DNA sequence: GTGATGACGCAGT
DNA sequence: GACTGCGCCATCA
């Protein structure tokens, strides 16, 4: 069993604290994947069985819920984030900078 | 085996 | 400040 990108991405995504969000770039940089696209691709596989992966906490560099279209319902992502205390404005994370969480914080 | 696509990011214009 | 084009690696047709 090889720890592919998905495994790593899943693990990192699972470590995202409640009320916080991270970006594809942050994960890509932390895992040194080389490109944020790999993260999106990995999460795409994750949605295959929406397990315990809070993919709704992963947004793009702009803080936009770019992946909402891949959820059962486009609003689910926003709903979940709002329930966790993350303010969403026009499909974008409000105070994105304040709720932004980086994988490196996981170790601290 | 080749071409196109993907839940993105960055540099250049 | 906003938009466009290119690159990243892997998977699918």
């Amino acid at each position: 069993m090889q720890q592919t990108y998905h495994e790593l991405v899943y693990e990192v995504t699972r470590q995202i604290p409640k009320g916080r969000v991270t970006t594809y770039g942050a994960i890509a940089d932390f895992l040194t994947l080389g490109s944020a696209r790999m993260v999106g691709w990995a999460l795409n596989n994750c949605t295959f069985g929406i397990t315990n992966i809070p993919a709704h906490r992963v947004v793009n560099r702009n803080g936009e819920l770019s992946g909402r279209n891949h959820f059962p319902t486009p609003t689910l992502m926003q709903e979940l984030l709002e329930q966790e205390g993350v303010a969403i404005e026009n499909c974008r994370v409000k105070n994105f900078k304040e709720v932004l969480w980086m994988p490196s914080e996981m170790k601290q």
Side-chain angles (χ1 to χ4, degrees):
Chain A
M1 175 42 220
Q2 311 83 2
Q3 263 200 326
T4 44
Y5 309 101
H6 333 142
E7 300 269 332
L8 297 169
V9 174
Y10 296 166
E11 199 163 333
V12 174
T13 306
R14 233 181 284 175
Q15 304 308 312
I16 303 175
K18 183 185 171 190
R20 298 279 154 157
V21 298
T22 192
T23 68
Y24 300 96
I27 297 174
D29 181 64
F30 180 72
L31 300 176
T32 60
L33 295 179
S35 57
R37 262 192 174 158
M38 301 288 87
V39 182
W41 166 78
L43 288 177
N44 190 1
N45 285 268
C46 149
T47 54
F48 217 84
I50 308 183
T51 51
N52 300 314
I53 318 292
H56 58 272
R57 291 180 187 155
V58 184
V59 297
N60 68 359
R61 197 48 180 116
N62 281 318
E64 304 176 43
L65 311 185
S66 47
R68 72 193 154 166
N69 297 309
H70 292 257
F71 278 78
T73 53
T75 53
L76 179 63
M77 196 173 186
Q78 179 174 330
E79 293 289 306
L80 290 171
L81 287 173
E82 288 185 322
Q83 282 182 49
E84 296 184 351
V86 180
I88 306 298
E89 181 68 33
N90 196 15
C91 295
R92 286 177 189 74
V93 179
K94 207 173 180 180
N95 303 324
F96 174 60
K97 227 177 70 173
E98 298 182 27
V99 295
L100 177 60
W101 175 86
M102 291 215 174
S104 34
E105 291 184 38
M106 157 174 67
K107 300 197 293 192
Q108 296 176 26

